[in-house]
Amino acid sequence: MTSSSKPAPPPYFNIDPAKAAARLSDPIDTVRFAKAATFAAKGRDDLAKRGYSPDGRKRLRKFSTWEVCRYLLDIAPAHLRRVLKAHEDLPQGAGEGGSKWFTLEEVLTLRDHFASEGSSAKQYKSWRPEGQPAKVISVANFKGGVGKTSTAAHLAMSAALDGYRVLVIDLDSQGSMTSIMGGQVEDEWQTAFPLLARDYARHVQAENETRAAAGRSALPLDETLTESLEVSPRNLIQSTHWPNIDLIGAQLNLYWAEFQVPVWRMQARSWPLWDALANALQSDKILEDYDIILLDTPPALGYLTINALSAADILLVPLGASFLEFDSTGRFFDMLYSTFASIEEGENRIRRQNDLPEMKFEWDAVRALITRFDAAQQTDLANVIQAYFGDFMTTYRQEMTAMVGQAGEQVNGIYEADYREFNRDTYVRGRETFDRTWAEIKEILLGTWWRDVQMEAQEDGKA
Ligand SMILES: Nc1ncnc2c1ncn2[C@@H]1O[C@H](COP(=O)(O)OP(=O)(O)O)[C@@H](O)[C@H]1O
Ligand SMILES: [Mg+2]
């Protein structure tokens, strides 16, 4: 190398077209995609096997005395040890020496014990009003990669660690949430698809009764629709490696709903397609079996997302603190406005004609949530976004942490990671990011439940 030599030219100079052509493969036909997909599926299975237990199922790790006393129960380690000694029937944890390791089931048993026998000055169990239905939290934004799935998954796990019973519904045909939860989904019949189909089929049945009475011809009920009438959401719900998180999973075929729903709607204009999922949760009493139902949505404002939004009590809209994400989130709100306002308008026109009370969509709370936040680079922009969104935004910004995504296939996010694999400070900080997100959402959750109870009491008083 000579010291006076010019630096090498940039890599895009002097490209030889003939050599470039020689490096190309033949033109690609559609079959080649199938081949790529097959290879990818094989690779995925290989990778997956490395992290899964031999039976291919995910396992949740155990929690140490340190974690139990630091994050899960408000008790000192010495007190926990005394109580365990005095109550041999309680789970004693596994492992030698001072630190014992407990499964989450065991932690939940310990929590029940303390809640019924521990100090009454302390709150061992998270509050939840009796007799109130689960709150539905939807996480949505039509932009991809903004942290919808990560936020929804972490919230589900935080809530589960807090002892809530959680149902996660994956509405994204990419199925990321389903993988995180270790779900197995064969085809669209194991996703939310049949719930939409059943809602339409029931509508057609009701409509056909009216038509028969009026001597009009019936709307068709094809094989898919007839079959869907047999489906219960309970058959779609699978358990996960978390004892108190259940799942309705997704896979690629769920995308079919985006084509099918508008066809059904064309056949029966009176079908309120946006209510299908909410109806399913309600009519099969799913809302009574859980405390929190979390819906993860695809990066689009399609029919599945509209169903998720319409079923939601609480809507979370994650976005990064960047100009592009702010801009597109603004547009997302604009689309939400026009979509739901036009549904209300259309419905109410018909309702007014029939002397029925008007309908209005309503959410308990809506929050934009800054995700992947880098305080060193993005504080100014985040402050601007905060100023414009005002109380539409959470106050806490979910920070960027290497602990998300890094953990890979077996472990997802902070709550599944074993803290011993990290520097303790890194762990504590990384975890705090999601703990604080949960704290803020939990506050909204408890607040809305509380408000519901007060409102019910007021109405009962009037009656
Ligand atoms: N707080 C965070 N810190 C670091 N990486 C994050 C964080 N939240 C999300 N990510 C990463 O950002 C990417 C997109 O997140 P994801 O939740 O899949 O977005 P979406 O569901 O909106 O498409 C993923 O690779 C995820 O691991
Ligand atoms: Mg996602």
Side-chain angles (χ1 to χ4, degrees):
M1 201 169 85
T2 57
S3 57
S4 65
S5 69
K6 281 206 307 186
Y12 46 82
F13 280 10
N14 307 321
I15 292 176
D16 179 341
K19 278 194 195 145
R23 287 165 67 119
L24 288 177
S25 66
D26 290 338
I28 306 295
D29 60 10
T30 40
V31 175
R32 183 64 185 78
F33 289 123
K35 200 168 151 190
T38 310
F39 277 128
K42 268 191 200 140
R44 193 206 164 280
D45 288 350
D46 278 353
L47 286 172
K49 275 194 204 100
R50 294 185 206 177
Y52 285 76
S53 46
D55 59 5
R57 302 297 297 193
K58 280 188 157 187
R59 294 272 188 275
L60 184 60
R61 69 188 183 85
K62 292 188 176 185
F63 299 86
S64 73
T65 310
W66 175 75
E67 278 179 296
V68 171
C69 296
R70 171 88 169 75
Y71 290 114
L72 304 178
L73 290 174
D74 189 8
I75 39 173
H79 181 54
L80 175 61
R81 274 191 281 272
R82 273 198 302 277
V83 170
L84 291 184
K85 213 165 193 177
H87 295 84
E88 279 176 6
D89 53 321
L90 284 175
Q92 298 292 313
E96 305 295 310
S99 205
K100 297 286 187 209
W101 292 79
F102 300 87
T103 63
L104 184 54
E105 283 96 333
E106 292 173 336
V107 176
L108 297 176
T109 306
L110 292 177
R111 180 178 282 143
D112 283 342
H113 173 84
F114 282 101
S116 62
E117 308 205 352
S119 153
S120 60
K122 282 189 180 180
Q123 198 191 37
Y124 295 101
K125 271 190 163 167
S126 288
W127 185 74
R128 188 253 199 260
E130 254 172 64
Q132 289 293 320
K135 283 287 177 192
V136 180
I137 305 180
S138 292
V139 185
N141 190 334
F142 73 163
K143 198 163 170 56
V146 294
K148 290 183 290 296
T149 303
S150 309
T151 299
H154 278 89
L155 286 176
M157 293 176 194
S158 307
L161 290 173
D162 248 357
Y164 288 116
R165 296 162 303 167
V166 183
L167 173 66
V168 175
I169 305 180
D170 190 356
L171 293 175
D172 186 352
S173 56
Q174 295 183 58
S176 308
M177 179 62 102
T178 302
S179 305
I180 291 176
M181 292 301 166
Q184 318 265 333
V185 182
E186 296 296 324
D187 57 27
E188 69 275 24
W189 286 95
Q190 293 170 14
T191 71
F193 174 79
L195 300 181
L196 306 191
R198 190 187 66 169
D199 195 70
Y200 174 70
R202 285 179 175 177
H203 180 81
V204 167
Q205 283 185 324
E207 175 86 18
N208 282 346
E209 278 177 31
T210 329
R211 285 179 170 232
R216 291 163 62 208
S217 63
L219 293 168
L221 262 190
D222 64 19
E223 203 181 316
T224 302
L225 292 170
T226 311
E227 201 174 327
S228 76
L229 285 164
E230 307 296 312
V231 175
S232 154
R234 277 172 215 288
N235 308 132
L236 305 173
I237 293 174
Q238 38 182 314
S239 48
T240 71
H241 57 302
W242 284 72
N244 47 354
I245 301 180
D246 289 344
L247 171 77
I248 296 181
Q251 59 100 270
L252 216 50
N253 297 357
L254 176 58
Y255 197 70
W256 178 244
E258 299 293 349
F259 297 100
Q260 190 60 74
V261 165
V263 171
W264 288 333
R265 169 85 171 170
M266 291 288 282
Q267 282 166 4
R269 304 282 327 173
S270 56
W271 178 46
L273 62 86
W274 53 89
D275 268 348
L277 192 60
N279 285 344
L281 296 177
Q282 182 113 46
S283 71
D284 291 83
K285 301 199 174 3
I286 305 298
L287 291 172
E288 289 166 29
D289 287 1
Y290 295 92
D291 301 315
I292 297 166
I293 300 184
L294 266 158
L295 308 186
D296 188 29
T297 62
L301 188 52
Y303 298 106
L304 290 163
T305 305
I306 288 174
N307 262 277
L309 294 168
S310 148
D313 297 302
I314 298 170
L315 168 62
L316 297 181
V317 182
L319 76 153
S322 76
F323 174 78
L324 285 180
E325 290 183 43
F326 176 46
D327 188 34
S328 102
T329 302
R331 282 166 218 266
F332 181 61
F333 283 129
D334 197 28
M335 284 168 71
L336 290 186
Y337 166 71
S338 42
T339 305
F340 286 97
S342 82
I343 295 176
E344 283 172 355
E345 222 178 273
E347 279 294 286
N348 288 333
R349 207 178 311 122
I350 300 166
R351 285 172 187 235
R352 278 191 299 270
Q353 283 164 9
N354 297 307
D355 278 331
L356 292 169
E358 300 202 1
M359 62 91 81
K360 192 173 97 193
F361 288 100
E362 211 171 57
W363 291 269
D364 282 342
V366 176
R367 290 289 184 282
L369 165 71
I370 297 279
T371 57
R372 293 131 50 242
F373 179 61
D374 174 358
Q377 310 274 345
Q378 299 179 316
T379 296
D380 284 349
L381 199 59
N383 289 343
V384 173
I385 296 174
Q386 186 104 43
Y388 281 98
F389 280 152
D391 64 1
F392 231 38
M393 196 154 129
T394 55
T395 48
Y396 182 67
R397 296 162 189 171
Q398 189 183 97
E399 278 172 40
M400 177 79 93
T401 161
M403 288 174 68
V404 175
Q406 171 201 59
E409 185 68 33
Q410 179 194 22
V411 169
N412 285 284
I414 308 286
Y415 299 117
E416 292 190 346
D418 185 333
Y419 63 86
R420 290 171 299 181
E421 286 164 21
F422 301 88
N423 165 307
R424 188 68 65 102
D425 289 341
T426 313
Y427 181 81
V428 169
R429 253 184 295 117
R431 174 161 184 145
E432 197 187 338
T433 251
F434 284 95
D435 284 351
R436 290 187 63 174
T437 304
W438 165 233
E440 197 162 349
I441 305 310
K442 185 177 175 186
E443 194 188 330
I444 294 170
L445 178 78
L446 300 195
T448 57
W449 261 331
W450 182 268
R451 191 167 66 182
D452 292 349
V453 173
Q454 308 309 312
M455 271 168 35
E456 255 185 37
Q458 256 179 23
E459 270 160 31
D460 289 351
K462 270 189 237 151

